[in-house]
Amino acid sequence: MASLPCMYRHRLIVRNKCVLPSLQKYVASSIEERSIALLAVRYQSSSASTGEANKDQDVEGKANESQHGVFNNFSELSKLRLSSLVVATTSAGFLAAGGPISWTTLTACSLGTAFCASSASTFNQVFEIERDRAMKRTSNRPLPRNAVSKENAILLGLATGGTGTATLALGTDAVTTALGLGNIALYAGLYTYMKPRSELNTWVGAIVGAIPPVMGWTAAGGSVTDAEALILGGTLFLWQFPHFFALSWMHRRDYARGGFEMVPCNDPTGNRTASLINRYTWYLSTIPLVATGLGITNSMFAVEGLAINAYALYVAKKFNEERSNGNA
């Protein structure tokens, strides 16, 4: 600010050497005052703009946070990761049929199955709000923490179930559509009903997990009675027992809090759990041999399958020797 008055004073003196010192002082003072006023106006304008910008950023940030929260709630209700696994097994069943691939049918089958899985998971959580709230591993789900209302969750379940069934009906065939709709009822209905009442819920849940690859097979033109369909479904059915018994052993106390009837909850020594894990791992290891014997796969599949299952049997043996969470 001091440079401006000096500059103006210099110009005045050069142009008129008779200018009085008082006039020089007055001009300098006026210029300085105007400069200060101009800076003040600019500062106020800048502050106002900054304030408005900060408010806009706050609003935008809250909107983004809200959208992020909605997506997370949808993801948790739909069990998005589990649904992704379902899509993978369905696609595998479809591709296993071989021959020319109809990408339209494959897409419809995969998306329809994913929506049906999402619907089943949502309804399962609707029916288990209080039990989920009692368990540590599920207490932070959207419904137990009241992040989503029960009514909205039901609407989500209906919407995804309807969309999934319609997608299967329009893009695949009647058998695949019936399997998708039936799996919603089996998971959200019988399986959910049995969980607090009978240990057999695990076997019902395994049927639910075995159906998606069969849906892929039927969507590709196969039949549910084909040996290939039975091998695909049987593999997923048997695999789930070692996996889930190990998982429920690690969380047995939590399942007990929720009032669920799981084998490990009623097996303090772990003997039954270890026996079941070992038994179903042996059953699973026979699949490559059966598939090769029926001519569904070549002999290399049997060799590779035995190598993989040998490791699974080793892990099962370790758990049988020491029933710890680390070995589960």
Side-chain angles (χ1 to χ4, degrees):
M1 288 186 292
S3 61
L4 281 172
C6 290
M7 180 180 67
Y8 276 88
R9 283 199 300 270
H10 175 70
R11 290 178 180 175
L12 286 170
I13 292 170
V14 170
R15 291 179 181 179
N16 191 352
K17 294 181 180 179
C18 297
V19 176
L20 296 175
S22 59
L23 181 59
Q24 294 176 8
K25 184 176 180 181
Y26 171 77
V27 172
S29 176
S30 297
I31 294 172
E32 186 170 359
E33 287 175 359
R34 290 180 183 178
S35 299
I36 293 173
L38 181 61
L39 286 173
V41 170
R42 287 180 178 174
Y43 175 76
Q44 290 174 356
S45 176
S46 175
S47 297
S49 299
T50 302
E52 290 298 324
N54 288 338
K55 288 180 181 178
D56 290 342
Q57 289 176 357
D58 289 342
V59 171
E60 185 179 353
K62 289 179 180 178
N64 289 337
E65 184 179 348
S66 176
Q67 292 173 359
H68 183 67
V70 170
F71 176 79
N72 282 345
N73 290 335
F74 171 80
S75 175
E76 289 184 54
L77 283 171
S78 300
K79 294 184 180 177
L80 208 55
R81 293 180 181 178
L82 181 60
S83 295
S84 300
L85 179 61
V86 169
V87 169
T89 58
T90 304
S91 301
F94 188 97
L95 296 173
I101 299 173
S102 170
W103 295 104
T104 303
T105 306
L106 173 59
T107 302
C109 180
S110 299
L111 287 178
T113 307
F115 277 119
C116 288
S118 169
S119 175
S121 297
T122 301
F123 281 124
N124 170 261
Q125 292 178 64
V126 167
F127 295 137
E128 293 182 346
I129 296 175
E130 294 306 319
R131 296 185 186 280
D132 281 348
R133 187 174 284 129
M135 295 172 61
K136 290 182 179 179
R137 63 188 292 263
T138 56
S139 61
N140 202 40
R141 284 178 175 174
L143 287 169
R145 59 185 170 87
N146 299 317
V148 175
S149 68
K150 183 177 180 179
E151 292 74 17
N152 285 339
I154 292 173
L155 288 176
L156 175 63
L158 291 172
T160 50
T163 302
T165 304
T167 302
L168 292 172
L170 294 172
T172 62
D173 58 273
V175 174
T176 306
T177 304
L179 288 172
L181 185 59
N183 229 17
I184 297 175
L186 192 60
Y187 186 84
L190 184 60
Y191 171 67
T192 301
Y193 174 81
M194 290 182 67
K195 282 174 72 178
R197 294 173 174 82
S198 172
E199 292 178 355
L200 293 176
N201 72 78
T202 302
W203 281 259
V204 175
I207 296 173
V208 173
I211 288 177
V214 178
M215 291 174 64
W217 179 265
T218 57
S223 168
V224 292
T225 59
D226 290 341
E228 292 87 347
L230 296 175
I231 288 293
L232 287 167
T235 301
L236 264 293
F237 178 79
L238 295 173
W239 170 80
Q240 289 176 88
F241 290 102
H243 167 73
F244 186 75
F245 285 134
L247 178 69
S248 55
W249 173 263
M250 291 189 292
H251 298 289
R252 60 193 182 281
R253 293 183 181 85
D254 217 13
Y255 278 116
R257 287 191 200 95
F260 293 116
E261 287 291 322
M262 304 299 175
V263 170
C265 296
N266 304 318
D267 181 27
T269 63
N271 289 337
R272 288 175 59 214
T273 304
S275 175
L276 285 166
I277 289 175
N278 193 59
R279 188 189 314 167
Y280 278 94
T281 304
W282 274 107
Y283 294 160
L284 183 63
S285 68
T286 65
I287 291 290
L289 297 174
V290 173
T292 302
L294 292 174
I296 296 172
T297 60
N298 59 32
S299 57
M300 277 308 298
F301 178 72
V303 174
E304 293 167 355
L306 287 174
I308 294 171
N309 284 311
Y311 176 74
L313 287 166
Y314 165 73
V315 173
K317 182 175 180 294
K318 280 185 65 177
F319 179 76
N320 188 45
E321 292 172 350
E322 183 184 351
R323 286 77 182 266
S324 65
N325 285 355
N327 286 335

